[in-house]
Amino acid sequence: MRVPLSWLREYVDLPAGETGRDVAARLVRAGLEVETVEQLGADLKGPLVVGEVLSIEELSGFKKPIRHCFVNVGEANGTGEPQEIVCGATNFAVGDKVVVVLPGAVLPGPFPIAARQTYGHTSAGMICSARELGMGDDHNGIMVLESHLEPGTDAIELLQLVDEVLDIAVTPDRGYCLSLRGVAREAAAAYGLPLADPALLDVPPANAFGYPVKVADPVGCDRFVARTVTGVDPAAKSPIWLQRRLQKAGIRPVSLTVDITNYVMLEVGQPLHAYDRGRLRGAILVRRAEEGETLTTLDGVKRKLSAEDLLICDDSGPIGLAGVMGGASTEIIDPVLDPETGEVTGSTEVVIEAAHFDPISVARTAKRHKLPSEASKRFERGVDPEASRAAAQRAVDLLVLIAGGTAEAGVTDIAAPHPLHTIAIAADLPDRVAGTEYGRETVARRLQEIGCTVAGADVLEVTPPSWRPDLTDPYDLAEEVIRLEGYDNVPARMPNVPPGRGLTEEQRFHRRMGVALAAAGYVEINAYPFLGEAAFDALGLAKDDPRRRTVKLVNPLNDEEPALRTTLLPGLLGALRRNVGRGNTDLALFETGTVFLPKPELKVAPRPSVEHRPSEAELAELDAALPDQPRRVAVALAGGRLPAGWWGKGVPASWADAVEAARTVARAANLELTVRQAQHEPWHPGRCAELLVNGRVVGYAGELHPRVVKALHLPERTSAMELDLDVLLADGVQKVSGPAVSGYPVAHQDVALIVDAAVPAAEVAAALREGAGELLESIELFDVFTGEQAGAGKKSLAYSLRFRAADRTLTADEASAAREAAVAAATAATGAVLRGA
C-alpha cells in the first residue's frame, strides 16, 4: 500500500516538521512493515510553470516532426515576453495549457535545463511530458492541462510534484491498512492525535426507490449497496489533484468514473464498481455460477466459470466476478469526441456498487482464474462491511461535484444481520503476557484507539470494530495493547527454563543416521511435501496402490499438487532431476521426513481455546483428526559413486549402493538388516531388494524401473531406497556400543555352497552365522555364480568367514571346526551343499 504523506495529513494533523521517515518510524514501532519512503521531487528545482501555447511553426526537412513554438509563461521568465521553445511532440495545439520548464531549472534525474541552439532556433526551456516530471511512465506526448489555469502559475505546487510516499507491506491480518483510512488510524494512535475518519458521512437511509437488487447467496454476499447518479457529463475529466493522488498510490488514471471508484477504494478501503445503467438489463442478481457459463471480463478475456464462483448478474446473464473484476458488457463507456458536431458521448447514468463479499470465495475465484486485482486483494484480507454505505455516498458526492451529475433519491441497501462479537478479557492480561505493568486505563484507552467498545472493570467486555475481523480472542486484544505501547518497551528477561533430560534415544538415532549418511557421501535435502496424481503415474503405481490414497488440501499452493505425500520418493527424485538439469551428474541425495497417511475415518479437528492448555481429551481428539505421520528416510543415487582419475576408472552408482545405504541406517540403530529379492514399484523387478528387521518389512531398495526413469527424465540406472523408521524402531532403539578389539590374529576361511536359485543369500548367511558361533567375527558374500558347473536351477554362493578369539590365537583345527559347524547349519537350514563335495 503506497501512502502519500500529503494525503495522510488530510486525516491526521501530523506535526509540521514530521518527515516521511519520522512517520514511518512511528508506524514500524506500532507493528506495520514500512518497506521504503520514496522522496518525490527531491531533486526538482524551478522555475516550472503553466504555459499557454501562442503559436506553432512546423519545421520540415528533419527525420521526425519538429515544432517551433512561442509560449506565454506570464512573468515567470522575468520579462513577460513569450518563451521560444523547440519541441518534438505533436499532441498539443495553439491555445493549450502546458507545463513549461525554464532555463536554470532541474528536472528529476537530475536533468538541468538551459537555453540552447537546436534545429536552427533557440530553445529557451522545454515543454514537459508526465514522465519527464516524474509523474509516471506516460511518454506518449506533452501533458495538456485544464484550460482555466493562468500562465505563469507554479506547476510544482499545482501538480503536487514534491511529496513523500510510504510503501507499506500489509500483512494478511491487517487488511484495513490497505486504505488511507486504516493507515491514518494507525498514525493517529501512534501520535496520540484525533482521526478525521473519511467514512463518517451523512448517508440517507435505504428506501424502495433504489436500483433493484436481489442477493440469492447471502453467505457469499452479506451486504450490497447500490446508488445511482444521472446526468453525468461524459466530457468531464479527473481533476489534477485526483489524478496525482492515484498516481502516487500506484494506480494509473483511466477516466473520471473509474478514477473516482479507485480513489474511494484507496481512501475508505471499500472496493467499488460502476455500471453504465443504460447497458444493464433488469435487476442486479448476486448468485453462484452455473456449470458451463462464461463471462468476458474487463480485460477482454472470456472465462469459463466454476460453480463456486460468485457472480453479479442481470437479465442477460453474468456481468461480473464478485469482488474480483467486472464484465465488459456493462462497463463505463470511455468519452468519444464527435469530430463533426464537437460533442462528447459516453456513459451519463452510473450505478455504483458497494458490496461486501466472503473473503474465502473471492480468494478462490481470483486464484482459480489467475486474476488478482486491487479489489480482490482487499476482500481477501477482510473489508469493513459497515463502510459500504459511506463509500457509495462518497463516490456519489464526487460524481456530483466533478461530473455535474445528479444523485437519485433511491438507496438500495441489502444487509444480512451481523451479530456483535464481544470478547471478555482480564484487564491485567496484557500485563501478564508482556511481563510489565500497563494498568486498566492504558489497556482500555489503547483498545478504544483501534475502534473497540470497552466496558467493565477487572474483566473488560470488548467489542471489536467491524473493520477488524482478525480480533477473535483475548490474546489478540493483548497483542494490540502491547504493540501500540511499543514492543521496545517490553522488558527483556531470560525465562526460567527447567533443566532438561537431554535428547531421547530416538532423537540420538536420527542424528546418528544423518551423520552416517553424510559421512557416506550423501547430501541432505528438504523437498516440499506436496504431490499430485502425476507423481504416482510417473512412479508406475497401480490404481489400487495404497500410496495413492492421500490427504487432500482444501487450499493447495498448486492445483496440480493438492495432496500431502505418502512417499518421499517424488520430492527426492525431483531434486535429483533438477540437479542433473543444472549439470550436477554425480549425485547422492537423502531426505528424512514424515509422510501423511489418511485414517479410515475422517474426523473434524476441534478448535481448543487459547486461554488454557488443551485437556488430555482435547489433545486426543486433535490427534484422532490428524492423519498418521510415520517418519521415513530415502536416498537417491545417479552417475558416478567413485570418481575417475589418474588412479583409474570411476565406479558408477548401482542398486548395491542403495542397499548399502539401508545397512548404514540400520547400523546407526544397532540393528541387523536382512536383504532379500522382491518386486515392488517403482523398482526394477530384477534389481529390487526387500529390507527386513526381525522379520518385519521396513522398506525397499534397488534400481528404479526403466519406465520410471524415462517418465521422470532421470539418468539411466538411477537407484533409490526408502525405509520406514517407525517400523525399523518398533522394538526400540538399541544402544550402540563400540566393537570389541582383539589383539590376536584373525583366521580366514572361505566356503562355497551350492543352493537352489530361489534361496536368498541372506538366509544362507544367517545360517552360517548361527552355526559358526561366537568365534565368527564377520561374514561377507564375495561371489555369486550360476552356470553349468553349478547345475540347472542352482547357484553358487561364496562367503569369506573371519574367525578370531578375544583371549587367544586360534589354531587351524579350531577355525576349521567352526567352519564345518557353519556349513552344517547352512545345510540343515537351506539345503546347501558344499561345492566340490
Side-chain angles (χ1 to χ4, degrees):
M1 176 68 187
R2 291 174 56 85
V3 179
L5 187 60
S6 60
W7 194 356
L8 183 64
R9 288 181 181 276
E10 185 172 312
Y11 312 117
V12 183
D13 189 15
L14 298 172
E18 289 292 279
T19 66
R21 295 191 180 278
D22 296 332
V23 177
R26 292 283 189 117
L27 294 178
V28 169
R29 187 170 177 266
L32 295 186
E33 298 180 18
V34 182
E35 294 188 326
T36 60
V37 179
E38 185 178 350
Q39 306 288 332
L40 300 182
D43 51 0
L44 179 64
K45 178 184 176 182
L48 185 73
V49 298
V50 176
E52 180 182 7
V53 181
L54 301 177
S55 66
I56 298 175
E57 177 189 357
E58 305 286 350
L59 302 182
S60 58
F62 301 101
K63 294 182 180 180
K64 60 180 181 179
I66 300 296
R67 308 172 107 188
H68 178 230
C69 310
F70 281 94
V71 184
N72 175 19
V73 294
E75 299 297 327
N77 58 4
T79 64
E81 297 295 324
Q83 198 79 0
E84 181 181 7
I85 298 175
V86 175
C87 182
T90 60
N91 69 312
F92 63 96
V94 173
D96 282 347
K97 301 294 175 61
V98 294
V99 181
V100 178
V101 57
L102 301 177
V106 179
L107 290 180
F111 182 59
I113 302 299
R116 60 193 179 94
Q117 291 292 322
T118 180
Y119 297 104
H121 295 273
T122 299
S123 183
M126 188 170 74
I127 303 176
C128 301
S129 69
R131 189 171 72 174
E132 290 163 342
L133 297 173
M135 295 172 58
D137 295 330
D138 187 4
H139 197 53
N140 295 328
I142 294 304
M143 185 177 180
V144 179
L145 304 175
E146 298 166 357
S147 59
H148 68 274
L149 297 174
E150 289 293 327
T153 303
D154 183 5
I156 295 179
E157 182 177 354
L158 174 71
L159 300 177
Q160 305 172 24
L161 297 179
V162 179
D163 203 349
E164 294 179 274
V165 179
L166 283 65
D167 193 350
I168 302 175
V170 179
T171 52
D173 61 329
R174 302 207 181 276
Y176 65 96
C177 285
L178 287 171
S179 67
L180 267 295
R181 181 196 186 200
V183 176
R185 188 177 299 279
E186 292 294 318
Y191 280 91
L193 296 171
L195 170 70
D197 191 343
L200 292 180
L201 301 175
D202 291 330
V203 182
N207 54 52
F209 308 107
Y211 196 89
V213 175
K214 181 180 179 182
V215 177
D217 189 340
V219 174
C221 175
D222 55 16
R223 185 148 208 175
F224 198 107
V225 176
R227 299 291 299 276
T228 304
V229 180
T230 60
V232 174
D233 181 5
K237 297 182 179 180
S238 300
I240 292 174
W241 65 266
L242 177 57
Q243 294 187 47
R244 288 298 293 139
R245 286 188 170 181
L246 291 177
Q247 288 170 339
K248 292 176 186 178
I251 293 182
R252 179 177 61 87
V254 179
S255 63
L256 176 58
T257 304
V258 176
D259 291 349
I260 287 175
T261 58
N262 285 332
Y263 178 84
V264 174
M265 176 184 68
L266 292 173
E267 182 181 51
V268 182
Q270 167 69 55
L272 303 177
H273 189 70
Y275 301 95
D276 185 332
R277 188 165 77 167
R279 304 177 74 185
L280 285 171
R281 299 291 177 264
I284 290 175
L285 172 64
V286 183
R287 62 168 173 85
R288 296 287 173 176
E290 298 175 0
E291 289 295 341
E293 282 190 301
T294 60
L295 169 67
T296 301
T297 46
L298 287 173
D299 56 0
V301 177
K302 186 175 182 180
R303 303 181 184 278
K304 184 178 180 180
L305 303 176
S306 165
E308 294 185 10
D309 291 331
L310 188 64
L311 301 180
I312 310 297
C313 307
D314 64 4
D315 292 348
S316 65
I319 59 173
L321 279 173
V324 180
M325 184 174 287
S329 62
T330 56
E331 69 175 317
I332 301 297
I333 301 174
D334 292 334
V336 178
L337 175 65
D338 189 333
E340 296 182 0
T341 64
E343 294 182 356
V344 177
T345 58
S347 299
T348 59
E349 296 184 344
V350 177
V351 176
I352 299 293
E353 166 207 304
H356 184 261
F357 301 112
D358 175 54
I360 295 177
S361 176
V362 172
R364 289 179 178 173
T365 295
K367 182 178 180 180
R368 185 180 303 112
H369 295 282
K370 297 179 175 60
L371 192 61
S373 65
E374 290 293 329
S376 67
K377 181 167 66 175
R378 285 163 173 80
F379 280 121
E380 289 170 13
R381 289 162 173 79
V383 170
D384 181 6
E386 299 300 323
S388 302
R389 298 171 67 247
Q393 182 65 46
R394 180 70 166 135
V396 168
D397 292 344
L398 290 172
L399 281 172
V400 171
L401 176 67
I402 302 172
T406 301
E408 286 194 351
V411 177
T412 302
D413 185 3
I414 300 175
H418 274 277
L420 294 178
H421 173 55
T422 301
I423 304 171
I425 173 176
D428 64 344
L429 179 61
D431 300 9
R432 289 185 278 115
V433 171
T436 188
E437 185 175 346
Y438 297 122
R440 181 203 176 281
E441 297 303 320
T442 298
V443 171
R445 174 173 56 83
R446 286 302 189 183
L447 292 177
Q448 288 168 346
E449 285 176 353
I450 65 172
C452 294
T453 301
V454 182
D458 294 339
V459 176
L460 304 179
E461 297 293 329
V462 181
T463 302
S466 56
W467 58 84
R468 292 299 302 271
D470 59 304
L471 303 180
T472 60
D473 60 64
Y475 287 90
D476 292 334
L477 301 177
E479 181 185 0
E480 291 298 300
V481 174
I482 295 168
R483 76 174 182 88
L484 291 176
E485 282 295 303
Y487 291 119
D488 51 342
N489 291 328
V490 176
R493 296 191 182 95
M494 292 296 292
N496 294 323
V497 181
R501 298 182 179 179
L503 300 177
T504 65
E505 284 299 326
E506 187 173 344
Q507 290 171 328
R508 293 177 187 275
F509 160 70
H510 286 304
R511 292 194 176 187
R512 284 199 307 272
M513 177 185 65
V515 170
L517 288 173
Y522 290 86
V523 177
E524 185 173 13
I525 67 141
N526 285 305
Y528 284 115
F530 311 116
L531 46 70
E533 287 297 319
F536 298 131
D537 294 339
L539 293 178
L541 304 188
K543 294 300 181 182
D544 59 348
D545 192 294
R547 286 170 287 183
R548 284 185 179 268
R549 187 169 179 267
T550 58
V551 177
K552 299 284 195 310
L553 298 175
V554 175
N555 191 22
L557 296 178
N558 184 349
D559 291 336
E560 295 180 357
E561 295 180 333
L564 293 172
R565 66 189 178 190
T566 55
T567 169
L568 299 183
L569 292 180
L572 191 65
L573 296 176
L576 188 141
R577 180 181 65 249
R578 285 189 294 274
N579 276 274
V580 169
R582 287 162 175 76
N584 302 321
T585 55
D586 301 328
L587 294 164
L589 308 178
F590 84 95
E591 180 181 12
T592 60
T594 54
V595 297
F596 306 86
L597 308 179
K599 293 180 177 176
E601 182 182 355
L602 181 63
K603 296 184 179 180
V604 178
R607 186 174 182 180
S609 170
V610 298
E611 298 180 3
H612 54 78
R613 183 183 185 277
S615 66
E616 293 301 325
E618 289 175 321
L619 290 174
E621 282 188 78
L622 287 170
D623 186 62
L626 295 175
D628 292 328
Q629 300 176 50
R631 193 170 185 85
R632 295 190 180 177
V633 61
V635 306
L637 305 99
R641 189 73 177 108
L642 295 176
W646 57 266
W647 52 83
K649 295 181 179 180
V651 178
S654 71
W655 63 268
D657 296 300
V659 173
E660 183 59 29
R663 288 196 174 99
T664 300
V665 174
R667 281 194 294 269
N670 197 23
L671 295 171
E672 187 70 32
L673 193 72
T674 301
V675 181
R676 65 187 183 194
Q677 188 176 9
Q679 293 188 17
H680 191 73
E681 291 79 8
W683 283 276
H684 190 297
R687 298 174 187 145
C688 174
E690 186 177 60
L691 311 172
L692 302 95
V693 170
N694 296 330
R696 298 187 304 270
V697 177
V698 297
Y700 296 87
E703 182 181 312
L704 294 178
H705 197 289
R707 285 197 296 268
V708 175
V709 170
K710 182 178 180 181
L712 292 175
H713 306 287
L714 299 173
E716 291 183 1
R717 296 190 176 277
T718 296
S719 299
M721 176 275 291
E722 185 172 19
L723 282 179
D724 189 322
L725 297 177
D726 288 1
V727 178
L728 180 74
L729 306 178
D731 297 331
V733 179
Q734 305 297 318
K735 289 188 176 182
V736 178
S737 58
V741 179
S742 172
Y744 294 94
V746 65
H748 292 273
Q749 294 281 341
D750 293 341
V751 58
L753 302 174
I754 302 294
V755 297
D756 291 338
V759 175
E763 289 187 14
V764 178
L768 290 171
R769 185 178 295 106
E770 183 177 356
E774 296 180 354
L775 295 179
L776 181 66
E777 184 177 82
S778 67
I779 181 171
E780 181 182 355
L781 175 68
F782 67 86
D783 182 58
V784 178
F785 172 75
T786 57
E788 292 183 3
Q789 294 179 346
K794 302 288 184 178
K795 63 182 177 184
S796 172
L797 302 177
Y799 294 89
S800 174
L801 309 179
R802 289 167 55 95
F803 297 97
R804 181 165 13 210
D807 56 350
R808 68 188 187 281
T809 299
L810 292 178
T811 64
D813 291 340
E814 287 178 312
S816 297
R819 173 181 177 274
E820 290 173 1
V823 172
T827 300
T830 65
V833 177
L834 192 64
R835 185 174 176 182

